[in-house]
Short mmCIF file of all heavy atoms in Angstrom, two decimals:
data_model
loop_
_atom_site.label_atom_id
_atom_site.label_comp_id
_atom_site.label_asym_id
_atom_site.label_seq_id
_atom_site.Cartn_x
_atom_site.Cartn_y
_atom_site.Cartn_z
N GLU A 1 41.37 47.30 -3.88
CA GLU A 1 41.77 46.89 -5.18
C GLU A 1 40.51 46.77 -6.10
O GLU A 1 39.64 45.97 -5.79
CB GLU A 1 42.52 45.53 -5.16
CG GLU A 1 43.13 45.13 -6.52
CD GLU A 1 44.25 46.00 -6.94
OE1 GLU A 1 44.89 46.63 -6.03
OE2 GLU A 1 44.54 46.08 -8.16
N PRO A 2 40.49 47.47 -7.21
CA PRO A 2 39.30 47.40 -8.06
C PRO A 2 39.22 46.02 -8.78
O PRO A 2 40.14 45.40 -9.14
CB PRO A 2 39.57 48.49 -9.11
CG PRO A 2 40.60 49.41 -8.49
CD PRO A 2 41.43 48.49 -7.68
N VAL A 3 37.94 45.60 -8.88
CA VAL A 3 37.63 44.47 -9.80
C VAL A 3 36.69 45.03 -10.85
O VAL A 3 35.71 45.63 -10.60
CB VAL A 3 36.93 43.31 -9.01
CG1 VAL A 3 36.42 42.22 -9.95
CG2 VAL A 3 37.81 42.76 -7.93
N VAL A 4 37.12 44.79 -12.14
CA VAL A 4 36.37 45.43 -13.16
C VAL A 4 35.59 44.40 -14.00
O VAL A 4 36.07 43.38 -14.38
CB VAL A 4 37.34 46.17 -14.17
CG1 VAL A 4 36.58 46.83 -15.33
CG2 VAL A 4 38.07 47.24 -13.47
N PHE A 5 34.33 44.71 -14.21
CA PHE A 5 33.42 43.79 -15.01
C PHE A 5 33.39 44.29 -16.42
O PHE A 5 33.42 45.54 -16.69
CB PHE A 5 31.99 43.89 -14.50
CG PHE A 5 31.74 43.19 -13.04
CD1 PHE A 5 30.58 43.49 -12.37
CD2 PHE A 5 32.71 42.30 -12.54
CE1 PHE A 5 30.43 42.85 -11.15
CE2 PHE A 5 32.49 41.69 -11.34
CZ PHE A 5 31.35 41.93 -10.62
N SER A 6 33.27 43.32 -17.36
CA SER A 6 33.08 43.70 -18.74
C SER A 6 31.61 43.55 -19.06
O SER A 6 30.86 42.71 -18.58
CB SER A 6 33.84 42.73 -19.66
OG SER A 6 35.23 42.82 -19.47
N ARG A 7 31.12 44.48 -19.93
CA ARG A 7 29.75 44.45 -20.26
C ARG A 7 29.39 43.17 -21.04
O ARG A 7 30.15 42.80 -21.97
CB ARG A 7 29.38 45.67 -21.18
CG ARG A 7 27.87 45.69 -21.52
CD ARG A 7 27.58 47.03 -22.24
NE ARG A 7 27.80 48.18 -21.48
CZ ARG A 7 27.00 48.64 -20.58
NH1 ARG A 7 25.87 48.02 -20.32
NH2 ARG A 7 27.32 49.78 -19.89
N ARG A 8 28.42 42.43 -20.58
CA ARG A 8 28.05 41.20 -21.32
C ARG A 8 27.42 41.46 -22.59
O ARG A 8 26.55 42.35 -22.73
CB ARG A 8 27.18 40.29 -20.33
CG ARG A 8 28.03 39.81 -19.12
CD ARG A 8 27.12 39.00 -18.19
NE ARG A 8 26.66 37.78 -18.77
CZ ARG A 8 27.27 36.62 -18.85
NH1 ARG A 8 28.51 36.54 -18.35
NH2 ARG A 8 26.76 35.58 -19.43
N LYS A 9 27.62 40.54 -23.52
CA LYS A 9 27.01 40.69 -24.89
C LYS A 9 25.86 39.63 -24.99
O LYS A 9 25.76 38.66 -24.32
CB LYS A 9 28.13 40.32 -25.90
CG LYS A 9 29.32 41.30 -25.82
CD LYS A 9 30.37 40.94 -26.79
CE LYS A 9 31.59 41.86 -26.67
NZ LYS A 9 32.72 41.61 -27.61
N PRO A 10 24.95 39.93 -25.95
CA PRO A 10 23.76 39.06 -26.17
C PRO A 10 24.10 37.56 -26.34
O PRO A 10 23.42 36.71 -25.90
CB PRO A 10 23.04 39.63 -27.32
CG PRO A 10 23.44 41.10 -27.31
CD PRO A 10 24.84 41.14 -26.77
N ASN A 11 25.21 37.30 -27.05
CA ASN A 11 25.50 35.92 -27.30
C ASN A 11 26.01 35.20 -26.07
O ASN A 11 26.07 33.91 -26.11
CB ASN A 11 26.57 35.77 -28.40
CG ASN A 11 27.85 36.44 -28.04
OD1 ASN A 11 28.14 36.94 -26.99
ND2 ASN A 11 28.86 36.40 -29.05
N GLN A 12 26.31 35.91 -25.00
CA GLN A 12 26.66 35.29 -23.73
C GLN A 12 25.47 34.73 -22.92
O GLN A 12 25.58 34.03 -21.97
CB GLN A 12 27.41 36.19 -22.87
CG GLN A 12 28.83 36.50 -23.39
CD GLN A 12 29.57 37.51 -22.56
OE1 GLN A 12 29.34 38.73 -22.50
NE2 GLN A 12 30.51 36.94 -21.77
N GLY A 13 24.24 34.92 -23.50
CA GLY A 13 23.03 34.37 -22.90
C GLY A 13 22.78 32.94 -23.40
O GLY A 13 21.72 32.28 -22.99
N ASN A 14 23.65 32.37 -24.20
CA ASN A 14 23.42 31.00 -24.73
C ASN A 14 23.79 29.98 -23.63
O ASN A 14 24.80 29.95 -23.02
CB ASN A 14 24.43 30.81 -25.86
CG ASN A 14 24.10 29.50 -26.65
OD1 ASN A 14 23.43 28.70 -26.20
ND2 ASN A 14 24.62 29.38 -27.89
N VAL A 15 22.77 29.18 -23.29
CA VAL A 15 22.85 28.18 -22.25
C VAL A 15 23.36 26.84 -22.76
O VAL A 15 23.41 25.86 -21.96
CB VAL A 15 21.44 28.01 -21.47
CG1 VAL A 15 21.02 29.33 -20.98
CG2 VAL A 15 20.49 27.39 -22.39
N ALA A 16 23.72 26.72 -24.02
CA ALA A 16 24.03 25.42 -24.58
C ALA A 16 25.29 24.70 -23.96
O ALA A 16 25.30 23.52 -23.79
CB ALA A 16 24.30 25.61 -26.11
N GLU A 17 26.21 25.45 -23.41
CA GLU A 17 27.39 24.94 -22.88
C GLU A 17 27.32 24.76 -21.34
O GLU A 17 28.24 24.35 -20.71
CB GLU A 17 28.63 25.81 -23.22
CG GLU A 17 28.87 25.94 -24.70
CD GLU A 17 29.12 24.62 -25.34
OE1 GLU A 17 29.77 23.81 -24.79
OE2 GLU A 17 28.65 24.47 -26.53
N LEU A 18 26.20 25.18 -20.73
CA LEU A 18 26.04 25.05 -19.28
C LEU A 18 25.82 23.62 -18.87
O LEU A 18 25.14 22.83 -19.56
CB LEU A 18 24.96 25.97 -18.77
CG LEU A 18 25.11 27.44 -19.03
CD1 LEU A 18 23.92 28.21 -18.49
CD2 LEU A 18 26.45 28.00 -18.54
N LYS A 19 26.34 23.22 -17.68
CA LYS A 19 26.22 21.81 -17.21
C LYS A 19 25.36 21.60 -16.02
O LYS A 19 24.89 20.47 -15.75
CB LYS A 19 27.62 21.30 -16.95
CG LYS A 19 28.60 21.30 -18.08
CD LYS A 19 29.95 20.84 -17.72
CE LYS A 19 30.93 20.81 -18.87
NZ LYS A 19 32.32 20.35 -18.48
N GLU A 20 25.10 22.65 -15.28
CA GLU A 20 24.30 22.52 -14.08
C GLU A 20 22.96 23.28 -14.21
O GLU A 20 22.88 24.38 -14.84
CB GLU A 20 25.09 23.12 -12.88
CG GLU A 20 26.46 22.45 -12.62
CD GLU A 20 26.32 20.98 -12.23
OE1 GLU A 20 25.21 20.58 -11.69
OE2 GLU A 20 27.26 20.24 -12.49
N LEU A 21 21.96 22.65 -13.59
CA LEU A 21 20.54 23.27 -13.68
C LEU A 21 20.54 24.67 -13.01
O LEU A 21 19.93 25.60 -13.58
CB LEU A 21 19.54 22.37 -13.03
CG LEU A 21 19.03 21.19 -13.89
CD1 LEU A 21 18.19 20.30 -13.04
CD2 LEU A 21 18.37 21.64 -15.09
N ASN A 22 21.19 24.77 -11.92
CA ASN A 22 21.23 26.11 -11.24
C ASN A 22 21.85 27.24 -12.08
O ASN A 22 21.47 28.38 -12.03
CB ASN A 22 21.84 26.00 -9.87
CG ASN A 22 23.29 25.70 -9.98
OD1 ASN A 22 23.73 24.71 -10.52
ND2 ASN A 22 24.15 26.45 -9.36
N GLU A 23 22.83 26.79 -12.93
CA GLU A 23 23.42 27.79 -13.82
C GLU A 23 22.45 28.23 -14.89
O GLU A 23 22.36 29.37 -15.25
CB GLU A 23 24.66 27.19 -14.48
CG GLU A 23 25.85 26.90 -13.55
CD GLU A 23 27.05 26.35 -14.35
OE1 GLU A 23 26.86 25.31 -15.03
OE2 GLU A 23 28.14 26.85 -14.21
N VAL A 24 21.71 27.27 -15.51
CA VAL A 24 20.68 27.57 -16.46
C VAL A 24 19.63 28.45 -15.86
O VAL A 24 19.25 29.45 -16.45
CB VAL A 24 20.09 26.27 -17.04
CG1 VAL A 24 18.94 26.66 -17.99
CG2 VAL A 24 21.12 25.42 -17.71
N PHE A 25 19.19 28.11 -14.68
CA PHE A 25 18.15 28.94 -13.97
C PHE A 25 18.69 30.37 -13.76
O PHE A 25 17.94 31.37 -14.05
CB PHE A 25 17.83 28.29 -12.62
CG PHE A 25 16.98 29.05 -11.77
CD1 PHE A 25 15.64 29.31 -12.10
CD2 PHE A 25 17.36 29.64 -10.55
CE1 PHE A 25 14.76 30.00 -11.29
CE2 PHE A 25 16.55 30.40 -9.73
CZ PHE A 25 15.20 30.53 -10.14
N ASP A 26 19.90 30.49 -13.31
CA ASP A 26 20.48 31.83 -13.14
C ASP A 26 20.53 32.64 -14.48
O ASP A 26 20.29 33.85 -14.41
CB ASP A 26 21.85 31.79 -12.53
CG ASP A 26 21.78 31.57 -10.99
OD1 ASP A 26 20.70 31.70 -10.41
OD2 ASP A 26 22.78 31.11 -10.41
N TYR A 27 20.90 31.99 -15.55
CA TYR A 27 21.04 32.66 -16.81
C TYR A 27 19.64 33.24 -17.24
O TYR A 27 19.53 34.31 -17.71
CB TYR A 27 21.60 31.70 -17.82
CG TYR A 27 23.05 31.83 -18.12
CD1 TYR A 27 23.97 31.65 -17.03
CD2 TYR A 27 23.59 32.15 -19.34
CE1 TYR A 27 25.31 31.76 -17.23
CE2 TYR A 27 25.00 32.25 -19.55
CZ TYR A 27 25.82 32.01 -18.46
OH TYR A 27 27.16 32.13 -18.66
N ILE A 28 18.61 32.40 -17.03
CA ILE A 28 17.33 32.76 -17.42
C ILE A 28 16.83 33.95 -16.57
O ILE A 28 16.31 34.97 -17.14
CB ILE A 28 16.30 31.63 -17.28
CG1 ILE A 28 16.68 30.44 -18.32
CG2 ILE A 28 14.88 32.07 -17.66
CD1 ILE A 28 15.88 29.17 -18.19
N ARG A 29 16.98 33.85 -15.30
CA ARG A 29 16.35 34.91 -14.40
C ARG A 29 17.16 36.17 -14.52
O ARG A 29 16.60 37.28 -14.42
CB ARG A 29 16.26 34.40 -12.92
CG ARG A 29 17.63 34.26 -12.20
CD ARG A 29 17.43 33.74 -10.85
NE ARG A 29 18.65 33.70 -10.06
CZ ARG A 29 19.16 34.63 -9.31
NH1 ARG A 29 18.48 35.74 -9.23
NH2 ARG A 29 20.33 34.49 -8.62
#
């Protein structure tokens, strides 16, 4: 069964709404 990804947009790099440090770290890297 295929799983389809959508191309991420530049505004999705905003870390303002993230709650966990590891999430912020992952977004940066």
Side-chain angles (χ1 to χ4, degrees):
E1 187 68 25
V3 173
V4 179
F5 290 164
S6 297
R7 184 174 298 280
R8 291 179 63 86
K9 300 176 181 179
N11 63 1
Q12 290 179 284
N14 191 343
V15 302
E17 300 300 322
L18 301 180
K19 298 178 180 179
E20 302 295 335
L21 281 175
N22 63 304
E23 291 180 308
V24 176
F25 174 68
D26 281 343
Y27 265 57
I28 296 172
R29 72 183 183 89

